[in-house]
């Protein structure tokens, strides 16, 4: 499995993805699930993905090739994030149409999901979730985040903490806590964690970082969170049976 | 869906179950998913279940009838918790064997799970998880709890807080927090929450309680936990990018 989150706040966006890929428990490896594209001052795009790795890689390759060969429309030429989402959905459909039947012969799932966000000059920042079928939905202020993969363990903390007005720093912290909870309860999600920030209206990728399992901040965060949760637990009122 | 948990600690056991049953979003109702059987001083059994409601009810009915008609072996006559788990598994197999093919005709899942625990005179307290196929596993000190249904949202807090040495009161609190997190993130799990405690060697069911959505303790717990989590979050170290 995989765990990826993207959150859109008033101040911008944060994307994060884990790096564990497994085909059975004896075939575990590390693959980056995050891609960024930018033309500084004009557009900044961030992608994370989950699902069949061959399918997501083939989809990204197809999108890359269109850019390199100047095939129109492509990710660097379209004028709206909506078109970006459409291009990703179409590429995903093509790959699954081509490879899906062969995978099905061996009962291999060709499903894959993308979260795509960013901003193109002349338009507001936008965030989309692209389903395995190639259709997609856009985030709104009421639901400012998308998750893919092993989403449940890390959802409660996001639901409790993040809203549109949350600052970038707190959003990053919340995402890392969400990963910490997920990795503690589920072996199929693992370090390193890739993180990318986008400051609204910047039109360039902001800070990016790869947190590995020895990252000193990640270790301190994990310890501080564990202690804080235990403290919160210790302060709960005694059970009363009415 | 459903959410049920049973935790075995040195001091005894705690069982908890939600009460929401749904067949589609327009057919939502309340059903108790917990059953207890006891012969005070001789045996105390606690059951929670998830899955197809007709299947779990039929399984429990079959077990009830065997007791009422004095069919041997039955839940009140067997001398080991292992035999209890076997009886439940067998009854579940019979019901699914009988009803399963009709359900399959309409693509209805006949899957169901039970968690069964308690103690019978002459034996230690024991806890079992019975799979939809009727086979089962027993909890050990390394894995002292079982969950069924919507298990993921509420797992991190149990993993963080509970171990064999946790006291009964803290175990109850932890389970209620686990339900609070689950209900906040998933609509298919809902009040009331049934809770039953068993004190090791008591050989009778301990305290039982039904927490509804207006239960004053549950409201205070939920508020206190929400504030505590936010406080813990506020005390996290600032993000550092090494």
């Amino acid at each position: 499995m995989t765990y990826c989150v993207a959150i859109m706040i008033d101040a911008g966006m944060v994307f994060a993805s884990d790096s564990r890929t497994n085909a059975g428990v004896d075939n575990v490896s590390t693959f980056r699930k995050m891609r960024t594209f930018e033309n500084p001052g004009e557009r900044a795009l961030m992608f994370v993905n989950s699902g069949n790795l061959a399918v997501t890689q083939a989809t990204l390759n197809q999108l890359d090739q269109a850019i390199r060969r100047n095939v129109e429309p492509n990710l660097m030429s379209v004028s709206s994030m909506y078109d970006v989402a459409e291009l990703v959905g179409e590429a995903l459909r093509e790959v699954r149409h081509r490879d899906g039947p062969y995978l099905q012969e061996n009962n291999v799932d060709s499903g894959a999901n993308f979260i795509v966000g960013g901003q193109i000059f002349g338009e507001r920042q936008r965030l989309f979730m692209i389903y395995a079928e190639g259709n997609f939905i856009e985030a709104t202020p009421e639901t400012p985040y998308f998750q893919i993969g092993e989403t449940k363990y890390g959802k409660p903390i996001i639901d409790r903490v993040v809203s549109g007005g949350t600052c970038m720093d707190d959003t990053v912290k919340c995402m890392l806590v969400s990963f910490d909870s997920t990795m503690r309860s589920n072996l199929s999600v693992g370090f390193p964690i890739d993180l990318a920030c986008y400051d609204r209206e910047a039109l360039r990728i902001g800070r990016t970082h790869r947190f590995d399992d020895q990252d000193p901040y990640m270790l301190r965060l994990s310890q501080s969170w564990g202690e804080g949760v235990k403290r919160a637990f210790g302060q709960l009122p005694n059970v009363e049976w009415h």
Side-chain angles (χ1 to χ4, degrees), chain A residues 223-241:
Chain A
Q223 195 193 345
S224 167
W225 180 247
E227 287 165 4
V229 164
K230 284 199 180 130
R231 209 159 38 235
F233 188 81
Q235 288 165 356
L236 290 177
N238 284 329
V239 184
E240 284 165 29
W241 318 80

Side-chain angles (χ1 to χ4, degrees), chain A residues 187-211:
Chain A
L187 276 182
S188 76
V189 177
F191 281 108
I193 300 167
D194 289 302
L195 197 128
C197 298
Y198 174 74
D199 298 305
R200 188 161 65 94
E201 310 303 341
L203 297 171
R204 68 191 72 234
I205 303 294
R207 219 182 250 288
T208 62
H209 192 69
R210 170 163 269 210
F211 295 89

Side-chain angles (χ1 to χ4, degrees), chain A residues 16-130:
Chain A
S17 57
D18 85 314
S19 305
R20 188 158 291 170
T21 306
N22 70 307
V25 288
D26 56 351
N27 187 356
V28 176
S29 38
T30 300
F31 282 92
R32 181 180 285 269
K33 297 166 195 171
M34 178 181 285
R35 272 294 302 275
T36 59
F37 298 84
E38 69 175 338
N39 177 8
E42 196 269 328
R43 76 184 57 210
L45 314 178
M46 296 181 286
F47 292 23
V48 286
N49 62 68
S50 70
N52 185 301
L53 183 67
V55 169
T56 56
Q57 286 193 344
T59 304
L60 288 167
N61 258 299
Q62 200 156 309
L63 293 164
D64 275 328
Q65 282 197 339
I67 298 170
R68 243 181 296 126
R69 294 177 183 166
N70 282 316
V71 178
E72 292 290 343
N74 67 55
L75 292 180
M76 300 307 281
S77 74
V78 294
S79 59
S80 164
M81 284 303 299
Y82 186 89
D83 298 332
V84 168
E86 214 162 52
L87 283 177
V88 177
E90 276 167 23
L92 179 57
R93 280 177 178 167
E94 268 178 54
V95 169
R96 292 193 68 199
H97 187 73
R98 187 191 69 199
D99 295 352
Y102 296 95
L103 296 172
Q104 214 161 16
E105 278 175 23
N106 288 317
N107 286 320
V108 175
D109 188 4
S110 69
N113 291 280
F114 283 84
I115 305 176
V116 171
Q119 190 170 12
I120 295 176
F121 180 74
E123 211 188 42
R124 71 185 193 284
Q125 63 173 7
R126 297 172 78 175
L127 180 66
F128 294 88
M129 152 94 105
I130 290 136

